[in-house]
């Protein structure tokens, strides 16, 4: 530290300096700051174990999109169109997970890809993406609370404000408790979701094969009549292609949440080993669940069933409930509604975690007020949580129709944020690989690396850009203009660009050169991390198909 001015201007200092404590210098060189800063290493607590890490990823990817959203996918694309659409987005998710895992295992920081983009691409982009994620996550919490209230009102007519208050209080308690509590909750929610998925898949097979008394064997009948594809907007081959493409956006938001896996990387035990383990195993399990679920739905409900267009927000719009009702199985709606309710609360908790940790990471870099660095003795950033709780009160707007319309517009502003985040993750990985090549460093020293992952990251980045630009294509067809749909599809793009160029103009930031990325420092920290030891597999883990 001697002879160095911590307030000195320059790209290195600006990138890694903590706004309150100044730069955390490393042992590699006087001008090489630490990647994982002392602030987060000392003030946050490692409360997430291996089983929490893997189940959080499963819980994040399995939600209302699977239980309630498959109906609209079948209606727009047909059984084969929906299967292909979810399959293609599944490949994108695979590429994103691998990119996220490789970068996060090397740099397990709070805020994950938001911090990575600042180190590997441009501090201005880190600022723009970071605040976009914070806004999206913070707005998602009152949205999920509102959705949960709709699910609760499936059983009761009590005033919505009562349930909103209860859910806000519960969310506040979870956000302020030790992160281990959050991990245990998500662990339990994930098991409930998996049990329900297995149950409804088996139920769907029984119905399809004629195992319910009084129902005929269906087989692939609905693939023949009304057919494997649906003509959407246009007719003929073009209409069938548009139907398949319309499924893509639905699939993206069904998978949204997988990117939050590493948001609390600094609070994970042995993050450099657990993150790759979770990314490798979770993707296969989640993709199999979605693939089988889409296949079964296409077999038991025809794509022209008008009930698939139900937007009640309760279990009645689930294609599994529709099939069960036709088969005379009456208990299914309440079961699905109950688990979907836990999914809504789980999604709310995940948004709280992602939003508060991203805000904490922004504060670490000086992109947010230093007050957000304050933590409890248990390592919880309570000022970040307090802001999140305050924003959650927007859920009360759901009690008024007019106010709820305004709330939906606020929510729509970052509806495309999932694709922006996925594209950023792929870009981070591409830049990291370019940096290793430029500096002549061996990629084999990374905690986790696959030789082909650079190609999958290019695939993911290109696909994210294409889907982002074409996701709202129906509004440009004759007679289909919808202002709300246009806003949700595209307004996030100019918002991110405005934040990026505004910060770049104000701070005069520059793109990070591949030769100046602190990769030697990252490798140094990885090699000298006392927690970075191989995970020992037990006999139980060989049989544990969920988190072993």
């Amino acid at each position: 530290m001697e002879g160095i001015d911590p307030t000195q201007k320059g790209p290195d200092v600006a990138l890694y300096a903590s706004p309150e404590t100044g730069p955390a210098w490393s042992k590699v060189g006087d001008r090489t700051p630490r990647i994982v800063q002392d602030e987060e290493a000392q003030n946050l607590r490692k409360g997430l174990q291996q089983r929490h890490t893997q189940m959080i990823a499963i819980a994040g990817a399995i939600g209302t999109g699977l239980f309630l959203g498959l109906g609209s996918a079948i209606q727009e694309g047909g059984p084969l169109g929906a299967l292909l659409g979810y399959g293609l987005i599944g490949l994108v998710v695979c590429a994103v997970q691998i990119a996220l895992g490789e970068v996060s295992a090397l740099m397990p920081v709070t805020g994950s890809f938001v911090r990575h983009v600042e180190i590997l691409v441009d501090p201005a982009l880190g600022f723009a993406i970071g605040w976009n994620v914070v806004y999206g996550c913070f707005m998602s919490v009152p949205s999920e609370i509102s959705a949960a209230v709709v699910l609760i009102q499936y059983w009761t007519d009590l005033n919505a404000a009562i349930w909103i208050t209860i859910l806000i209080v519960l969310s506040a308690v979870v956000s302020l408790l030790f992160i281990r509590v959050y991990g245990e909750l998500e662990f339990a929610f994930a098991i409930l979701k998996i049990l329900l998925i297995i149950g409804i898949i088996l139920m769907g097979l029984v119905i399809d094969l004629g195992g319910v008394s009084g129902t005929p064997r269906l087989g692939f009948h609905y693939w023949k009549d009304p057919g494997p594809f649906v003509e959407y907007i246009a007719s003929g081959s073009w209409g069938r292609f548009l139907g398949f493409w319309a499924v893509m956006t639905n699939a993206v938001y069904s998978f949204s949440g997988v990117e939050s896996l590493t948001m609390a990387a600094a609070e994970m035990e042995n993050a450099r080993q657990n993150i790759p383990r979770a990314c490798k195993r979770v993707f296969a399990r989640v993709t199999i669940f979605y693939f089988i679920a889409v296949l079964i739905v296409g077999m038991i409900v025809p794509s022209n069933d008008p009930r698939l267009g139900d937007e009640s927000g309760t279990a009645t719009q689930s294609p599994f409930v529709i099939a069960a009702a036709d088969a005379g199985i009456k208990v299914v709606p309440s079961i699905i509604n109950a688990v979907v309710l836990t999914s809504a609360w789980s999604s709310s908790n995940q948004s709280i975690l992602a939003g508060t940790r991203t805000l904490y990471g922004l504060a670490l870099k000086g992109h947010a007020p230093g007050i957000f660095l304050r933590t409890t003795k248990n390592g919880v950033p309570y000022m970040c949580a307090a802001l999140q709780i305050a924003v959650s009160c927007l859920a009360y707007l759901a009690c008024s129709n007019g106010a709820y319309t305004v709330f939906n517009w606020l929510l729509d502003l970052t509806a495309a944020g999932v694709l922006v985040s996925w594209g950023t993750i792929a870009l981070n990985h591409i830049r990291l690989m370019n940096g290793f090549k430029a500096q002549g460093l061996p990629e084999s020293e990374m905690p986790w690396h696959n030789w082909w992952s650079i190609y999958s990251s290019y695939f993911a980045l290109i696909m994210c850009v294409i889907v982002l630009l074409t996701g709202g294509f129906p509004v440009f067809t004759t007679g289909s203009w919808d202002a709300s749909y246009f806003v949700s599809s595209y307004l996030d793009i100019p918002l991110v660009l405005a934040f990026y160029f505004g910060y770049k103009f104000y701070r005069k930031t520059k793109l990070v050169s591949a030769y100046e990325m602190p990769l030697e420092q990252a490798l140094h920290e990885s090699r000298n991390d006392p927690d970075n030891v191989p995970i020992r597999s037990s006999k139980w883990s060989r049989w544990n198909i969920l988190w072993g």
Side-chain angles (χ1 to χ4, degrees), residues 110-151:
T110 304
S112 184
F113 61 90
V114 173
R115 294 269 297 281
H116 299 153
V117 75
E118 180 170 331
I119 296 171
L120 302 171
V121 186
D122 189 338
L125 189 57
F127 174 84
I129 298 296
W131 279 106
N132 189 60
V133 170
V134 169
Y135 179 86
C137 289
F138 276 30
M139 290 301 299
S140 178
V141 175
S143 171
E144 294 293 350
I145 289 174
S146 301
V149 170
V150 173
L151 292 164

Side-chain angles (χ1 to χ4, degrees), residues 411-431:
L411 184 65
D412 283 345
L413 291 179
T414 54
V418 174
L419 287 166
V420 173
S421 295
W422 289 1
T424 301
I425 291 168
L427 177 62
N428 286 340
H429 183 257
I430 292 169
R431 291 284 295 162

Side-chain angles (χ1 to χ4, degrees), residues 76 230-235 238-240 242-243 246 473-478 480:
E76 291 176 347
V230 170
E231 294 180 351
Y232 184 67
I233 297 178
S235 58
W238 180 240
R240 290 189 288 273
L242 291 180
F473 75 88
V475 300
F476 300 111
T477 59
T478 304
S480 299

Side-chain angles (χ1 to χ4, degrees), residues 144-438:
E144 294 293 350
I145 289 174
S146 301
V149 170
V150 173
L151 292 164
I152 291 172
Q153 290 178 328
Y154 178 79
W155 296 298
T156 177
D157 293 328
L158 278 178
N159 191 298
I162 297 173
W163 299 113
I164 291 173
T165 302
I166 292 173
L167 291 170
I168 288 176
V169 171
L170 288 174
S171 297
V173 170
V174 173
S175 66
L176 292 171
L177 289 176
F178 182 38
I179 195 169
R180 178 68 174 269
V181 176
Y182 164 81
E184 296 294 354
L185 279 172
E186 289 302 296
F187 183 82
F189 288 153
I191 289 178
L192 281 175
K193 292 177 184 179
I194 291 169
L195 289 175
L196 177 61
I197 291 170
I198 294 173
I200 59 180
I201 286 175
L202 291 176
M203 179 196 73
L205 276 174
V206 170
I207 293 173
D208 183 71
L209 297 175
V212 179
S213 178
T215 60
R217 184 181 184 279
L218 295 172
F220 283 89
H221 172 74
Y222 294 135
W223 283 56
K224 301 174 183 177
D225 181 22
F229 290 97
V230 170
E231 294 180 351
Y232 184 67
I233 297 178
S235 58
S237 300
W238 180 240
R240 290 189 288 273
F241 173 79
L242 291 180
F244 150 73
W245 200 257
V247 171
M248 305 278 277
T249 302
N250 196 322
V252 166
Y253 301 120
S254 293
F255 280 109
S256 65
V258 294
E259 70 279 1
S260 64
L261 166 64
T262 61
M263 281 298 185
E267 296 167 83
M268 292 180 184
E269 295 179 0
N270 197 357
R272 289 185 166 91
Q273 296 289 329
N274 276 327
I275 289 174
R277 196 180 180 97
C279 289
K280 285 186 291 186
R281 300 189 176 194
V282 167
F283 164 75
R285 293 160 189 168
V286 169
T287 304
I288 289 171
F289 282 140
Y290 268 99
F291 187 86
I292 295 176
V294 175
L295 177 64
I296 294 297
V297 167
M299 294 165 65
I300 59 178
V301 181
S303 58
N304 58 1
D305 191 318
R307 291 172 294 179
L308 293 175
D310 180 11
E311 297 181 357
S312 63
T314 67
T316 55
Q317 76 179 81
S318 170
F320 293 103
V321 170
I322 293 172
D326 290 343
I329 305 173
K330 298 180 180 179
V331 73
V332 171
S334 288
I335 294 175
I336 291 181
N337 204 66
V339 177
V340 172
L341 177 59
T342 67
S343 294
W345 192 33
S346 171
S347 297
S348 173
N349 289 339
Q350 281 219 326
S351 295
I352 289 173
L353 181 76
T356 55
R357 271 45 178 190
T358 301
L359 182 57
Y360 180 87
L362 288 171
L364 271 176
K365 313 311 298 176
H367 297 329
I371 192 174
F372 293 116
L373 289 172
R374 297 181 182 179
T375 58
T376 66
K377 63 179 181 180
N378 288 325
V380 177
Y382 67 89
M383 290 307 298
C384 296
L387 179 59
Q388 171 66 85
I389 294 165
V391 174
S392 298
C393 293
L394 287 174
Y396 286 109
L397 294 177
C399 297
S400 165
N401 290 333
Y404 192 52
T405 300
V406 176
F407 172 61
N408 281 330
W409 272 81
L410 292 172
L411 184 65
D412 283 345
L413 291 179
T414 54
V418 174
L419 287 166
V420 173
S421 295
W422 289 1
T424 301
I425 291 168
L427 177 62
N428 286 340
H429 183 257
I430 292 169
R431 291 284 295 162
L432 178 70
M433 293 297 99
N434 290 343
F436 266 86
K437 184 177 181 181

